[in-house]
Amino acid sequence: MISQTDIQYARILIVDDQPVNVELLEYLLTSTGQKDVTSTTDPRVVAAWHAEHRYDLIILDLQMPGMSGFDVMEALKPLEPDGWLPVLVVTAQPDHKMRAFECGARDFISKPFDPIETLMRIRNMLEMRMLHNRERSYNQRLEQTVRERTAELQRFRSAMDATADAIFLLDAATAELVDANEGACRMLAYPRGEMLGQTASRLGLGNPEALRAQAERLADYAAAVGPARSPELNELELMRSDLITVPVELYWQLLQRPGQPAVLLGVARDISERRQAEELLQHMAHYDSLTGLPNRTLFFKIVADAIAVAQDKSWRIVVLMIGLDRFKNINDSLGTLLGDDLLRQFSNRLVQTARIRDTVGRVGGDEFAMVLTMSRDQQDAVHAANEVREALRQPFELDGHQAVLSASIGISVYPDDATDPQTLVKYADTAMERAKQAGRDGYRFFTAGMNVQVLARLDMELALRRAFDSNELLLHFQPKVNLHTGGFAGVESLLRWQRPGVGMVYPAEFVPVLEDTGLVVRVGAWIIDAACKQIVTWLNDGTGPVRVAVNVASRQFVEGDLEGVVREALQRNKTPPELLELELTETALMVNAERTITVLKNLKAIGIKVAIDDFGTGYSSLSYLQRFPIDKLKIDIAFVRDITTNPNDAAIALAIISMAHSLKLQVIAEGVETRAQLEYLRRSRCDEIQGYFFSKPLAPDALGELVRSGRSLPPAPGTAKQPAQTLLIVDDDVNVLASLHRLFRRDGYQILTAASPTEAFELLALHAVQVIVCDQRMPAMSGTEFLSKVKEMYPDTIRIILSGYTGLEAVLDSINRGAIYRFYTKPWDDTQLRDNIRLAFHHYWLMHGSGKRVGQPGEDATALPSVLQPAK
């Protein structure tokens, strides 16, 4: 057996012209315990290196400049005379895989890498290579033993029985058995006496004619050339006395002594163990070791065979690719052992759903596949997909734990979608990915549009890998502003991609690809280093200290060394740590929360600031929130966008601000695009904002100019000499607005007018309004609906309806929903309306004002002595 130590110390060579691929594979192998891993980006040295080091496995990229992977395999063939190339090819092009097998490759992995599948294939290849080497070594030792024992047989007849091999002596002229050693008797379970009574054909050595012809051929060869340097080996099966066959490796030699009959000597070696090892290797090469199902290699052959039959029968072949949804979560939380148990249980259920002529295979870590043969329509595929989904409904029992899974299924059909197995399976895999994106626990048939999307994504993935190595990525910076001072407060770094031939590409288009390919960890480290470098540049060019916030992905915690990356970047660029800020989502914080807390505490200890990005959209608990060493919360743009018109968004934002301040945290609102949003947040005691109202994201030079210019926010409206009372009039009739404005202007109010609820909400956000007079009937929103929202967002305001419609139902609805102060009708009496508006202001100041009383020095200007008298 091949031990784990043998696997760990196997010699592995990685050949790829892309350093990022080499680095990824090296990290994958070394992190899983491999001790002897070598790599090169120059394919021309592979043959010479292999001749010197005899690698157990060569992981070979097919597409390389200067010398392709196919040329490398041709160069390796002379070094492997038995034709067994220890090559595992890497390719993103399915049509190259068959050619690679024809050139001698033993297996392949596809780009982008699936870590679990890649490690499994590497381990299988290493075991196969080591078993092959062991077998070859064993055969060489056998050959040497046979030659030595043959010489001993010629010299020492008495030593013949000492060998474990079976030796048969036959008369060359008659092909009759004249003698056999003890090894032959043991092998075929005959006593010596009975053995000599058997015919050669009965023992399986061959019929007399063939044996005599063999003797004549050996005699002719010896006469012409001399004794053979090495024996000719033949594999055949001998028959035991109990009629059980024994596979043997047998060679014949003709013994000719002067004056004696020629003797045909046959030496047979039992190769039962070798046959079993070969069968095991064959099984390992074609069947999944965990589930016993056909693996990806055999599955492709099964699909090809099914297509060949379908061509003759005019049948349809359906391929179902089945991906288990969220299997990784279960595998991570319960452990790989229980994860493997789950895969075995699911494979058993899957086999039970298959018909006799259907085939089930495991083609990846948590991906399975089925081949269906249909003689009618594709409804059978829908039925099979639903049966698979139904098989998952019952929970899986995992050592006292229960797990419930769903599956996303992709379906492709021969000949409708494709006529070759590789394309048919690829299209089913594409459809499965679309099923996952559509919400999981469903199925999708392949469409041509899916293939276009896949090719576009593949093109972007390849371009992104080049972009990272070609310095096409850059940072822009969006300013943050302090709402208390109006001054510049720092920036958030935003990743951009200057793609050749395309132009500027924004993160929403390519960040998901970075996350799927695992490049997000390397790019995240680059962003931190680039931000530190830019901080120092601004310090040196006269801009001054600029605090830069960097977004950190959850995978940087799981797969990377975030603390080490930050420390190295600070040290390498000589960056003051207090100018670097990390922004993390709630999801990133909750991935291994205990480790995250430790990392953040270590970073906080050196001066790094920490903020939670998109707060309110994740799933962190408040109990964890107070344990994380954070400094700021960022209100997500989803709550800021409609903060001046949506009471629910306003309530959430105010709750976040209040909670943060109670925890001694600062609050930043992102996505502020209007003056109304700015002023609402300013009055709500938010600390900082960022968004297009102040500035769009800027290139480093432009950001430096902005900072040096000293630009700041405009002051809050009315900060200088604002009248004590502000009246908002809302009516879609401009003539009514003009009339009311003239009526109330003489009373010294600050009068705001709005022709629509939307305009009114903006004015409410910009100004402190005490009294609102609103028309009831407006096109977009009734006065009642408008005031009901105002009641939630500005509960202190005095709300008045002025309506030309006096139905009882409208009045009651206004009072109930809008909590109005008064309901007046059109046309109005000027004197009475002015007096009642004064009463409304007086009521407001009594409830929320300075507490001034009528008749005292500095009395309330809204008092009406003829109407209100001081309390006695």
Side-chain angles (χ1 to χ4, degrees):
M1 295 298 292
I2 303 300
S3 68
Q4 181 64 29
T5 301
D6 295 335
I7 296 294
Q8 288 180 338
Y9 285 90
R11 292 183 296 276
I12 301 176
L13 174 63
I14 301 171
V15 186
D16 197 309
D17 65 304
Q18 294 294 326
V20 64
N21 293 337
V22 172
E23 182 178 349
L24 177 60
L25 288 170
E26 282 184 332
Y27 174 78
L28 189 61
L29 289 168
T30 56
S31 64
T32 52
Q34 293 301 138
K35 306 297 184 183
D36 192 352
V37 180
T38 308
S39 64
T40 181
T41 57
D42 185 359
R44 294 168 296 183
V45 304
V46 174
W49 285 16
H50 184 56
E52 179 181 355
H53 300 289
R54 292 295 173 182
Y55 295 104
D56 299 302
L57 177 62
I58 300 174
I59 303 175
L60 178 64
D61 185 25
L62 290 180
Q63 297 295 321
M64 292 181 291
M67 186 176 189
S68 70
F70 301 105
D71 297 332
V72 172
M73 285 188 280
E74 287 299 324
L76 290 173
K77 284 182 179 179
L79 304 178
E80 299 286 342
D82 57 357
W84 207 103
L85 298 182
V87 173
L88 175 66
V89 299
V90 179
T91 180
Q93 301 185 26
D95 54 343
H96 285 177
K97 295 171 183 175
M98 292 305 299
R99 182 184 170 192
F101 282 130
E102 293 171 358
C103 290
R106 312 308 295 184
D107 203 348
F108 69 88
I109 53 177
S110 299
K111 295 180 180 177
F113 303 123
D114 181 326
I116 296 177
E117 180 184 1
T118 300
L119 290 173
M120 178 189 71
R121 291 179 180 275
I122 289 173
R123 181 180 179 86
N124 288 345
M125 279 280 294
L126 289 173
E127 289 182 351
M128 292 173 61
R129 175 65 172 178
M130 291 180 178
L131 286 172
H132 176 77
N133 288 343
R134 186 172 293 180
E135 175 192 349
R136 182 167 59 186
S137 175
Y138 194 73
N139 289 341
Q140 291 172 350
R141 291 197 302 272
L142 170 65
E143 294 171 2
Q144 180 64 26
T145 301
V146 170
R147 283 193 294 271
E148 292 173 355
R149 290 179 178 175
T150 300
E152 292 175 1
L153 180 63
Q154 294 173 342
R155 295 191 300 268
F156 309 105
R157 176 64 185 83
S158 61
M160 189 174 66
D161 287 341
T163 179
D165 295 329
I167 300 177
F168 303 92
L169 299 178
L170 286 78
D171 187 297
T174 63
E176 293 181 356
L177 182 65
V178 296
D179 201 357
N181 71 342
E182 286 295 327
C185 296
R186 288 192 300 270
M187 178 184 290
L188 302 183
Y190 280 109
R192 180 179 290 273
E194 293 184 21
M195 170 71 77
L196 297 179
Q198 304 298 319
T199 63
S201 57
R202 168 66 180 77
L203 298 177
L205 294 170
N207 60 55
E209 293 78 10
L211 291 170
R212 285 194 291 269
Q214 175 77 10
E216 292 174 1
R217 189 172 65 84
L218 290 172
D220 293 342
Y221 185 91
V225 180
R229 294 185 178 181
S230 60
E232 291 185 7
L233 298 177
N234 298 294
E235 290 189 10
L236 67 160
E237 293 182 346
L238 301 182
M239 185 70 70
R240 285 166 45 100
S241 62
D242 52 11
L243 303 183
I244 295 176
T245 59
V246 180
V248 297
E249 192 175 65
L250 181 140
Y251 81 89
W252 294 106
Q253 183 175 357
L254 187 64
L255 302 179
Q256 293 177 305
R257 295 191 180 97
Q260 294 184 8
V263 174
L264 191 62
L265 180 144
V267 179
R269 175 186 171 226
D270 188 342
I271 58 171
S272 299
E273 291 185 1
R274 195 181 82 187
R275 283 275 181 90
Q276 291 173 0
E278 290 175 349
E279 291 172 0
L280 177 60
L281 284 173
Q282 186 73 4
H283 188 275
M284 290 173 61
H286 293 91
Y287 289 89
D288 175 49
S289 60
L290 179 64
T291 63
L293 298 176
N295 63 13
R296 193 176 189 89
T297 302
L298 182 57
F299 185 78
F300 272 99
K301 183 178 184 303
I302 291 170
V303 175
D305 293 342
I307 289 176
V309 174
Q311 288 174 337
D312 296 335
K313 303 288 186 181
S314 298
W315 286 349
R316 275 182 169 159
I317 299 299
V318 173
V319 174
L320 273 66
M321 292 294 290
I322 305 160
L324 295 180
D325 299 332
R326 289 177 285 274
F327 169 76
K328 186 178 184 298
N329 294 342
I330 295 177
N331 203 47
D332 291 343
S333 58
L334 298 183
T336 56
L337 291 179
L338 293 183
D340 289 347
D341 186 25
L342 175 58
L343 293 176
R344 280 190 291 266
Q345 291 187 43
F346 174 68
S347 69
N348 292 335
R349 293 189 190 183
L350 196 58
V351 170
Q352 292 173 6
T353 66
R355 300 169 302 181
I356 294 178
R357 63 185 180 184
D358 299 338
T359 302
V360 178
R362 183 187 179 202
V363 295
D366 59 355
E367 292 183 4
F368 295 79
M370 294 181 69
V371 180
L372 313 179
T373 302
M374 303 187 309
S375 55
R376 299 185 303 279
D377 56 36
Q378 61 187 27
Q379 191 59 33
D380 282 354
V382 175
H383 178 70
N386 286 327
E387 281 192 340
V388 172
R389 296 168 63 201
E390 190 62 33
L392 287 165
R393 297 290 185 240
Q394 293 299 319
F396 293 90
E397 294 292 335
L398 303 172
D399 192 23
H401 301 276
Q402 282 196 339
V404 179
L405 285 178
S406 60
S408 297
I409 303 171
I411 305 171
S412 62
V413 182
Y414 163 89
D416 305 54
D417 298 325
T419 57
D420 64 281
Q422 288 77 18
T423 306
L424 199 61
V425 173
K426 182 184 75 171
Y427 284 173
D429 191 67
T430 299
M432 180 191 70
E433 291 300 323
R434 292 299 174 270
K436 286 182 179 290
Q437 296 172 8
R440 307 175 187 273
D441 193 18
Y443 60 85
R444 288 289 185 275
F445 281 86
F446 173 80
T447 63
M450 291 181 181
N451 195 45
V452 173
Q453 295 172 1
V454 168
L455 293 176
R457 181 181 174 87
L458 179 61
D459 178 65
M460 177 168 283
E461 180 182 329
L462 295 174
L464 267 176
R465 294 186 182 278
R466 291 193 298 268
F468 187 78
D469 297 324
S470 303
N471 298 319
E472 297 170 15
L473 300 178
L474 50 92
L475 292 182
H476 281 193
F477 302 89
Q478 184 166 44
K480 301 177 184 179
V481 193
N482 188 306
L483 286 181
H484 305 303
T485 66
F488 177 79
V491 296
E492 177 183 0
S493 61
L494 301 173
L495 183 63
R496 297 290 187 264
W497 176 18
Q498 188 67 42
R499 185 175 181 183
V502 176
M504 191 69 72
V505 184
Y506 292 89
E509 300 179 48
F510 66 87
V511 166
V513 181
L514 288 177
E515 292 174 344
D516 290 345
T517 59
L519 280 173
V520 69
V521 178
R522 294 183 61 203
V523 172
W526 176 86
I527 292 173
I528 292 172
D529 185 73
C532 290
K533 186 181 300 182
Q534 186 60 54
I535 290 171
V536 175
T537 300
W538 281 325
L539 284 172
N540 295 333
D541 69 5
T543 301
V546 177
R547 177 175 290 146
V548 177
V550 175
N551 290 283
V552 177
S554 58
R555 292 187 68 166
Q556 288 178 262
F557 275 102
V558 177
E559 301 175 19
D561 177 14
L562 179 63
E563 181 180 350
V565 166
V566 171
R567 289 180 180 274
E568 288 176 12
L570 292 172
Q571 183 177 6
R572 181 166 48 250
N573 297 286
K574 302 295 187 286
T575 306
E578 63 273 11
L579 295 181
L580 181 64
E581 183 176 300
L582 302 180
E583 291 188 359
L584 304 95
T585 63
E586 295 172 77
T587 302
L589 287 171
M590 296 304 293
V591 175
N592 195 345
E594 296 302 327
R595 177 173 177 267
T596 300
I597 290 172
T598 301
V599 171
L600 294 183
K601 283 184 177 179
N602 293 340
L603 292 175
K604 281 275 291 181
I606 63 174
I608 303 296
K609 300 293 184 183
V610 180
I612 297 183
D613 197 10
D614 302 336
F615 186 77
T617 61
Y619 58 87
S620 63
S621 67
L622 294 180
S623 61
Y624 265 109
L625 184 60
Q626 62 182 346
R627 293 182 58 198
F628 287 116
I630 58 178
D631 302 285
K632 300 179 182 180
L633 298 182
K634 290 190 73 173
I635 303 176
D636 187 67
I637 189 175
F639 305 124
V640 175
R641 187 178 293 113
D642 298 321
I643 196 171
T644 61
T645 59
N646 188 316
N648 292 332
D649 288 347
I652 291 173
L654 291 174
I656 293 173
I657 293 171
S658 178
M659 180 192 67
H661 286 169
S662 67
L663 294 174
K664 306 296 187 295
L665 304 176
Q666 287 188 305
V667 183
I668 309 171
E670 59 183 353
V672 176
E673 299 181 353
T674 67
R675 180 70 182 273
Q677 293 169 342
L678 163 67
E679 297 305 335
Y680 187 87
L681 289 163
R682 177 145 51 186
R683 288 209 310 276
S684 300
R685 298 185 305 117
C686 184
D687 299 299
E688 296 179 7
I689 65 158
Q690 68 180 84
Y692 274 63
F693 176 77
F694 184 76
S695 174
K696 66 179 181 179
L698 301 172
D701 292 342
L703 192 282
E705 292 177 5
L706 182 145
V707 175
R708 291 190 293 272
S709 71
R711 177 182 161 193
S712 62
L713 287 174
T719 53
K721 295 184 179 180
Q722 177 178 325
Q725 287 87 233
T726 301
L727 172 65
L728 172 61
I729 306 170
V730 187
D731 198 305
D732 62 318
D733 188 333
V734 294
N735 294 320
V736 172
L737 288 178
S739 297
L740 291 174
H741 189 277
R742 286 193 301 270
L743 175 64
F744 295 119
R745 183 173 54 193
R746 69 189 73 173
D747 294 318
Y749 307 133
Q750 176 178 257
I751 300 175
L752 308 174
T753 58
S756 68
T758 301
E759 186 180 354
F761 275 124
E762 183 171 351
L763 290 172
L764 283 167
L766 291 170
H767 302 276
V769 176
Q770 293 85 42
V771 179
I772 305 172
V773 177
C774 179
D775 183 30
Q776 171 63 6
R777 288 192 166 184
M778 293 182 290
M781 181 186 299
S782 72
T784 299
E785 292 174 321
F786 168 66
L787 291 180
S788 67
K789 291 188 175 184
V790 172
K791 171 189 171 183
E792 294 185 50
M793 298 177 63
Y794 305 95
D796 294 342
T797 54
I798 302 297
R799 298 171 293 279
I800 297 172
I801 286 285
L802 182 61
S803 175
Y805 180 71
T806 58
L808 178 60
E809 183 179 344
V811 175
L812 292 176
D813 187 47
S814 298
I815 294 172
N816 292 332
R817 293 181 59 191
I820 66 170
Y821 175 74
R822 291 286 189 273
F823 190 105
Y824 300 120
T825 60
K826 299 176 182 177
W828 59 85
D829 179 272
D830 286 356
T831 301
Q832 183 184 17
L833 186 57
R834 286 178 63 201
D835 289 345
N836 282 285
I837 293 301
R838 289 192 189 100
L839 283 171
F841 275 110
H842 184 75
H843 179 79
Y844 179 89
W845 291 117
L846 286 177
M847 299 296 296
H848 310 291
S850 62
K852 297 174 183 178
R853 296 191 300 169
V854 176
Q856 300 296 321
E859 67 182 22
D860 190 338
T862 63
L864 296 175
S866 62
V867 179
L868 297 171
Q869 297 297 328
K872 296 182 179 179

